[in-house]
Amino acid sequence: MEAASFTRLSSPRTAPFSVTNWIKHPIPNKTNLSFRNSRSAAICAISERSSGSNTEGLLDSKVETILDSVKWDSKGLAVAIAQNIDTGSILMQGFANKDALEKTILSRKATFYSRSRSSLWTKGETSMNFINVHDVFLDCDRDSIIYLGKPDGPTCHTGAETCYYTSVYDTLEGSKEGKEERLAKTTLYSLEATISKRKEETETLPNGKPSWTKKLLLDQELLCSKVREEAGELIQTLLDNEDKGRTASEMADLLYHSMVLLNLKDVSIEEVLEVLRKRFSQSGVEEKNSRKKN
């Protein structure tokens, strides 16, 4: 799992501050940062605006308190970073002022302040590639902001998935990799990209033999047998009380072979993680029933 995608609820350290969750539970030291609450808090809070002037005033007061708690710089700005809620990828970085943050909280669309135009702008207002915000986090010093959301399409104006595709180390080493191949990705997504690259390859390795990944892609029966085999070996680490390292190793094998299968089915890891995220707000019984209906 990518760093910053999920908050470790068991950690004794101070948890990141969730703006939308605070609106529903305005006691910072006792805030429950479960994904179920963070996803629904802003919706509940915003719907309360229509229930009467008292609740509308209460919501306005809470939002104003949040805005006042941010340590804006001398120009009234703070760094605002947009992050993909499912992949953890950093999509872009801009700046926000009070109005931009307030608009983001209430509209659930990532909104920034343009220093060149001296005006607010909502990502996607021209391209329609909005970033749909599920939560907003403030860092421990309250001087930077994360918009945790789901993009409707490519974030960068170049058409790239994110604005981060220039590797400093590639530059130092003289790499000529294409921009799209070097999007800032962590382990899981680098593996996914490598599998996709193997699928596109038509040439074999110098020794005349295809790579193991290519062999799996070309032989569905072999692939399915390996997925079954690795699943069994993972289960056996529990039954035989094997050490953690062995379990991690078998899980890595199962994950790799499963991702090859996903590639053949044209299913991305991001789609899988999105399904998991949506299940956080459902009980196991509800989720199973929804499958039957579909």
Side-chain angles (χ1 to χ4, degrees), residues 184-216:
K185 295 180 179 179
T186 50
T187 305
L188 196 61
Y189 298 95
S190 293
L191 174 58
E192 182 177 56
T194 299
I195 293 171
S196 295
K197 189 175 180 181
R198 295 290 180 271
K199 187 177 182 179
E200 295 170 359
E201 290 176 349
T202 55
E203 298 180 359
T204 58
L205 297 178
N207 59 8
K209 296 180 180 180
S211 67
W212 177 245
T213 301
K214 186 70 174 178
K215 186 176 291 187
L216 291 171

Side-chain angles (χ1 to χ4, degrees), residues 36 278-288 290:
R36 184 178 303 177
K278 290 179 177 178
R279 288 182 184 175
F280 287 164
S281 60
Q282 290 181 304
S283 70
V285 175
E286 290 173 336
E287 192 277 321
K288 287 184 179 179
S290 68

Side-chain angles (χ1 to χ4, degrees), residues 1 8 23 31 36 49 56 150 152 155 191 213 218:
M1 196 62 63
R8 293 182 58 189
I23 290 175
T31 298
R36 184 178 303 177
R49 294 181 71 96
E56 182 176 346
K150 187 73 172 179
D152 283 334
T155 297
L191 174 58
T213 301
L218 293 173

Side-chain angles (χ1 to χ4, degrees), residues 28-83:
N29 292 333
K30 297 183 180 179
T31 298
N32 179 350
L33 290 178
S34 73
F35 274 89
R36 184 178 303 177
N37 285 338
S38 66
R39 287 180 66 239
S40 62
I43 297 175
C44 293
I46 294 169
S47 65
E48 288 175 359
R49 294 181 71 96
S50 61
S51 65
S53 58
N54 290 338
T55 52
E56 182 176 346
L58 179 60
L59 175 60
D60 289 341
S61 176
K62 289 180 180 179
V63 172
E64 192 62 33
T65 299
I66 291 169
L67 298 177
D68 289 340
S69 74
V70 178
K71 294 181 180 177
W72 308 103
D73 67 15
S74 59
K75 297 181 180 178
L77 303 175
V79 170
I81 298 166
Q83 182 179 14

